[in-house]
Amino acid sequence: MSQPRRLVAEGHLIDSGLMSKFLAIVVENGGTYELLRFDIGRTVSDFSRVEMTVSAAEPERLERILENLTALGCHPVDESRAIVLKPSAADGTVPDDFYSTTNHRTRVYHGGRFLDVADQRMDAVIVVEGDRARCVKLRDVKAGDQVVAGLAGVQVFPPFREREKADFVFMNNEVSSERRVELAVAQLAEAMRAIRARRGRTIAVPGPVVVHTGGTRHLGRLVRGGYIQGVLSGNALGVHDVEAALFNTSLGVDVATGIPVDEGHRNHMRAINAIRMAGSLGAAVERGVLKSGLMHDCIVHRVDLALAGSIRDDGPLPDTLMDMTQAQERYATLLRGADLVLILGTMLHGIGVGNMTPSWVRTVCVDIHPAVVTKLVDRGSAQASGIVTDVGLFLRLLADELDPAR
């Protein structure tokens, strides 16, 4: 039997389900636990606190249990235990026992004090340089970087939502059904007004279905109204948005009638060609080639725009980032300081953005398919909440709520 480890955790442990998760992790991984103390909060604003010991027959099994518990916010009682730093032997590599980050707020004990970890994201490592700790992607680690190894000195803080907080009460990390769409829109609009008032950042992550459902017109209203500060998507969104602006079709289908037009299958290639002839989306706007659409609105209103490419892209548009490392870095840069992320009808870019977004950033996923929201949460973005509805309808309702005059 390995030496028992004493752990402590505090927060809304009961109604958040964390307490049952703690115990399930221990039992399901073949360990045992003993509750030493469990103080339950007396009011809705009070945190609960638990102290317990955890044991397992083999050290490897105990280490696995501790790793899972640490990710959920359990800390060793001996919080003064310093982190272990090991140097990287070569660029893009780390020691085998590296600590793999979550998207929750994290700090490490080093040099006699706790350091907040910067650039928080999941599936990264922590590199310490002097009195600064930050998350670094494996590919960006340099030989000699001091990398946090093991769990010693690492503290993780999952976010706790106040039970009676007014904003986003329709969410609670669940997939909201159709009957709650109008309530969800009203509460989301209230939050977006507050973000705009304090000059915060709301980032939209729309898929091409936003064009097909007529949603780009309403997303453009939000851009023009100053409610959106960044748009992250793929080449397809840009292409179909330009196609709709130039030819009133989306994938060759008339956006007004829903009827395929003669030789409409050529229109997306004609749209790409028009932008390539202009040189870029910005040049097309400046020359009067592109006079409307979401891409036009983003450029005119100086909203940050990132289009990431893929193996299936036609063209692509000149603005599309076909180097995936470059596209990821652009996404990560634009997500820094975000207050709210709206994922609109895209599983691919939604999961990618979810992996880059800290857990304290409100994330709302809108899709007609409940499985899209579920998969986003399953991939680690536990902060994501879902609204199951047609994304075009959702954007129209949201724009009408925020900007009824347009």
Side-chain angles (χ1 to χ4, degrees), residues 227-289:
Y227 293 102
I228 303 294
Q229 284 66 49
V231 173
L232 314 183
S233 192
N235 183 72
L237 176 82
V239 169
H240 298 308
D241 177 68
V242 172
E243 177 191 346
L246 296 182
F247 308 112
N248 294 314
T249 63
S250 177
L251 285 177
V253 176
D254 190 293
V255 294
T257 66
I259 300 174
V261 302
D262 188 37
E263 295 192 356
H265 66 281
R266 298 178 62 244
N267 284 356
H268 80 284
M269 293 300 295
R270 293 172 65 197
I272 294 169
N273 189 53
I275 302 302
R276 293 183 73 87
M277 288 182 69
S280 68
L281 288 167
V285 171
E286 185 177 348
R287 296 180 185 182
V289 175

Side-chain angles (χ1 to χ4, degrees), residues 94-118:
V94 292
D96 286 341
D97 57 347
F98 68 92
Y99 172 76
S100 181
T101 63
T102 69
N103 61 344
H104 300 318
R105 193 179 304 278
T106 304
R107 66 180 188 175
V108 295
Y109 193 77
H110 177 66
R113 65 190 183 96
F114 281 104
L115 306 177
D116 291 325
V117 177

Side-chain angles (χ1 to χ4, degrees), residues 229-396:
Q229 284 66 49
V231 173
L232 314 183
S233 192
N235 183 72
L237 176 82
V239 169
H240 298 308
D241 177 68
V242 172
E243 177 191 346
L246 296 182
F247 308 112
N248 294 314
T249 63
S250 177
L251 285 177
V253 176
D254 190 293
V255 294
T257 66
I259 300 174
V261 302
D262 188 37
E263 295 192 356
H265 66 281
R266 298 178 62 244
N267 284 356
H268 80 284
M269 293 300 295
R270 293 172 65 197
I272 294 169
N273 189 53
I275 302 302
R276 293 183 73 87
M277 288 182 69
S280 68
L281 288 167
V285 171
E286 185 177 348
R287 296 180 185 182
V289 175
L290 187 62
K291 300 178 181 179
S292 62
L294 180 61
M295 299 297 102
H296 169 275
D297 290 337
C298 286
I299 291 165
V300 169
H301 294 273
R302 304 193 179 196
V303 167
D304 292 326
L305 178 65
L307 299 178
S310 71
I311 192 67
R312 66 176 184 259
D313 288 333
D314 290 326
L317 293 172
D319 305 76
T320 300
L321 301 172
M322 296 305 292
D323 183 316
M324 286 300 99
T325 299
Q326 185 182 6
Q328 284 185 15
E329 290 301 323
R330 176 67 173 162
Y331 268 40
T333 297
L334 298 186
L335 285 165
R336 287 195 186 104
D339 298 283
L340 172 66
V341 175
L342 298 178
I343 298 172
L344 305 167
T346 172
M347 181 184 295
L348 175 65
H349 295 279
I351 292 174
V353 165
N355 287 350
M356 303 177 192
T357 305
S359 63
W360 59 85
V361 177
R362 295 284 191 183
T363 303
V364 178
C365 181
V366 182
D367 207 286
I368 197 68
H369 300 292
V372 173
V373 187
T374 303
K375 182 165 286 192
L376 180 65
V377 174
D378 288 346
R379 294 294 183 93
S381 300
Q383 79 274 21
S385 301
I387 303 172
V388 180
T389 189
D390 176 86
V391 69
L393 170 64
F394 167 82
L395 285 169
R396 179 175 65 80

Side-chain angles (χ1 to χ4, degrees), residues 196 217-227 297 301 395-396 398-406:
R196 186 182 71 163
R217 172 167 162 260
H218 305 294
L219 186 55
R221 291 166 62 191
L222 299 181
V223 167
R224 296 191 296 273
Y227 293 102
D297 290 337
H301 294 273
L395 285 169
R396 179 175 65 80
L398 182 60
D400 286 348
E401 184 77 25
L402 286 169
D403 198 15
R406 299 193 184 202

